[in-house]
């Protein structure tokens, strides 16, 4: 396990470069993001450990970061003052572009993986904005009417995006639809509705969990339409947006505090990682590679879909707020960051049970 200290700054987000397996970015904030500056670290994995190749200081906290999918040296930051900045890591300490349309904290930024000329941002001001890096203003605004912690473009379609918010809903937008009164909203799924019993599985207890804030979500890279969500209620759920009325496909409880970040594996279709305020990272299977999961449901009615925890990493000593998979090489390498001012690079396979 490799380690780097983000001294004086508490990590909020970590992202591997989509171009280089040895480059990692960490968005961090002084004073746990409550007040003070932010810092974006560009880190290199070398034979001598992790080294800081460059860093950029910002006037306000940083809550998220996203590498450009079009330019290997460009990277976005999401800031507590409502601004978004685009840096070129080969240039000086100043951003090459900046936008300030959001009225409150920007909590997520995400680059379009298919149409690589757009990215999005989501904010506590209850909006998602679509941007082109060459334009001085946003090209679309999508209202969610609630604090939106996480938004993403689909990895399968350039015009489809998703978001989860404080009102406990997963929203799907399609930019190809007429804006009209719906503002491109095509689907809104209540995250905490109970799962529906499926043929061949035991009945599910009546009633779902009480609604609570959804903090994170991620699209499955291999199964078009499958999205995982998690948040304050400590539970991970996966949904198939092609069957929105069916409720969650899998329900994975186990974390002891809120789940701050989840990400599907780029290598295996049923595996995902989570980072939590309980100071652990955990690796899960959603059960899709193991059949219907009848036995699991029978043993624990809270677990639905046959998924289970496969291992956990507990080396962090404060809230874990970011986790990301390496896209290259062996399928288990990942990085995590947290409020303990540490970035850890580790192999998921080392913590997995038989």
């Amino acid at each position: 396990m490799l380690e780097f200290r983000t001294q004086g700054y508490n990590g909020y987000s970590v992202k591997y470069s989509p171009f280089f397996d040895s480059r990692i970015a960490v968005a961090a904030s002084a004073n746990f993001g409550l007040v003070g500056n932010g810092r974006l670290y560009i880190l290199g994995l070398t034979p001598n450990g992790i080294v800081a190749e460059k860093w950029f200081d910002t006037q306000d906290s940083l809550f998220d970061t996203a590498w450009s999918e079009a330019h290997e040296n460009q990277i976005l930051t999401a800031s507590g003052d409502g601004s978004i900045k685009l840096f070129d890591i080969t240039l000086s300490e100043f951003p090459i572009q900046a936008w300030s349309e959001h009225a409150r904290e920007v909590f997520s930024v995400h680059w379009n993986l298919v149409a690589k000329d757009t990215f999005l941002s989501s904010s506590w001001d209850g909006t998602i904005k679509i941007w082109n890096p060459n334009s001085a203003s946003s090209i679309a605004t999508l209202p969610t009417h609630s604090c939106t912690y996480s938004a993403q473009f689909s990895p399968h379609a350039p015009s489809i995006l998703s978001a989860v918010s404080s009102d406990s809903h997963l929203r799907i937008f399609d930019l190809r639809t007429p804006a009209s009164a719906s503002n491109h909203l095509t689907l809104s799924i209540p995250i905490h509705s109970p799962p529906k019993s499926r043929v061949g599985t035991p009945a599910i207890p009546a009633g779902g969990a009480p609604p609570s804030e959804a903090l994170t979500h991620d699209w499955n890279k291999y199964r078009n339409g499958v999205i995982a969500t998690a948040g304050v209620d400590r539970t991970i759920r996966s949904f198939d947006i092609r069957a929105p009325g069916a409720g969650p496909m899998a329900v994975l409880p186990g974390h002891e505090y809120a789940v701050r970040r989840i990400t599907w594996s780029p290598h295996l279709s049923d595996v995902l990682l989570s980072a939590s305020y309980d100071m652990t990272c955990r690796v899960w299977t959603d059960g899709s590679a193991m059949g219907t999961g009848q036995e699991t449901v029978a043993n624990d009615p809270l677990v639905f879909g046959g998924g289970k925890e496969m291992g956990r990493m507990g080396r962090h000593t404060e809230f874990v707020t970011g986790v990301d998979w390496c896209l290259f090489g062996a399928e288990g390498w990942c990085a995590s960051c947290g409020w303990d001012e540490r970035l850890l690079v580790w192999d998921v396979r080392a913590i997995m049970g038989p």
Side-chain angles (χ1 to χ4, degrees):
M1 184 175 290
L2 301 175
E3 179 175 333
F4 179 84
R5 180 83 185 275
T6 59
Q7 189 163 358
Y9 291 86
N10 311 104
Y12 262 93
S13 176
V14 57
K15 296 290 171 60
Y16 270 94
S17 166
F19 296 96
F20 303 105
D21 60 356
S22 60
R23 181 170 288 167
I24 298 174
V26 177
S29 301
N31 305 307
F32 306 100
L34 300 175
V35 64
N37 299 338
R39 178 172 286 178
L40 174 67
Y41 291 88
I42 308 300
L43 306 176
L45 303 179
T46 75
N48 298 320
I50 304 175
V51 299
E53 297 178 348
K54 191 154 191 169
W55 62 83
F56 298 94
D57 288 328
T58 58
Q59 292 185 337
D60 210 307
S61 305
L62 296 183
F63 295 135
D64 197 17
T65 186
W67 288 97
S68 167
E69 292 290 327
H71 299 280
E72 63 189 35
N73 294 316
Q74 294 183 3
I75 186 168
L76 291 165
T77 59
S79 183
D81 61 5
S83 69
I84 303 156
K85 294 179 173 65
L86 180 66
F87 291 93
D88 188 311
I89 65 174
T90 64
L91 302 178
S92 64
E93 66 268 23
F94 300 107
I96 59 174
Q97 183 65 285
W99 302 270
S100 297
E101 292 186 18
H102 282 294
R104 292 199 60 191
E105 292 88 337
V106 181
F107 230 60
S108 76
V109 283
H110 189 258
W111 212 283
N112 195 322
L113 301 174
V114 183
K116 301 179 187 297
D117 59 347
T118 54
F119 66 90
L120 61 73
S121 59
S122 72
S123 169
W124 291 10
D125 66 8
T127 66
I128 302 163
K129 289 182 180 287
I130 314 297
W131 310 84
N132 181 298
N134 298 316
S135 177
S137 58
S138 61
I139 57 180
T141 298
L142 310 175
T144 63
H145 308 293
S146 60
C147 177
T148 305
Y149 291 104
S150 174
Q152 288 189 4
F153 278 105
S154 165
H156 308 284
S159 60
I160 295 176
L161 59 113
S162 57
V164 294
S165 304
S166 58
D167 66 354
S168 179
H169 278 73
L170 167 65
R171 289 178 172 86
I172 307 298
F173 298 87
D174 189 338
L175 300 178
R176 296 169 298 184
T177 63
S180 66
S182 66
N183 290 289
H184 304 294
L185 180 69
T186 58
L187 192 59
S188 181
I189 300 174
I191 292 171
H192 292 85
S193 60
K196 305 296 190 294
S197 181
R198 289 165 172 77
V199 176
T201 62
I204 301 302
S212 61
E213 292 190 311
L215 303 178
T216 179
H217 78 301
D218 193 38
W219 289 79
N220 191 289
K221 313 312 189 278
Y222 295 96
R223 293 145 62 203
N224 189 3
V226 175
I227 299 175
T229 69
V232 171
D233 73 344
R234 314 183 301 277
T235 302
I236 300 167
R237 295 171 175 82
S238 66
F239 296 87
D240 189 334
I241 62 173
R242 296 163 296 186
M249 301 166 58
V251 180
L252 302 169
H255 276 295
E256 296 162 31
Y257 291 102
V259 181
R260 182 61 190 85
R261 192 85 62 167
I262 53 175
T263 176
W264 287 99
S265 168
H267 306 287
L268 301 169
S269 65
D270 67 312
V271 172
L272 69 160
L273 265 177
S274 59
S276 169
Y277 290 163
D278 65 11
M279 299 184 279
T280 68
C281 293
R282 306 193 189 198
V283 58
W284 311 78
T285 173
D286 70 345
S288 60
M290 302 186 299
T292 61
Q294 296 183 36
E295 181 182 348
T296 305
V297 176
N299 293 339
D300 185 354
L302 295 177
V303 180
F304 182 72
K308 64 178 181 178
E309 180 184 328
M310 302 171 71
R312 68 183 69 177
M313 190 277 288
R315 294 281 293 275
H316 283 285
T317 56
E318 255 293 354
F319 293 170
V320 191
T321 49
V323 68
D324 194 35
W325 296 91
C326 180
L327 297 173
F328 306 97
E331 64 193 29
W333 285 97
C334 72
S336 58
C337 69
W339 281 14
D340 55 1
E341 302 181 1
R342 294 158 73 215
L343 165 85
L344 300 179
V345 175
W346 45 286
D347 189 348
V348 170
R349 294 166 297 182
I351 64 167
M352 290 171 59

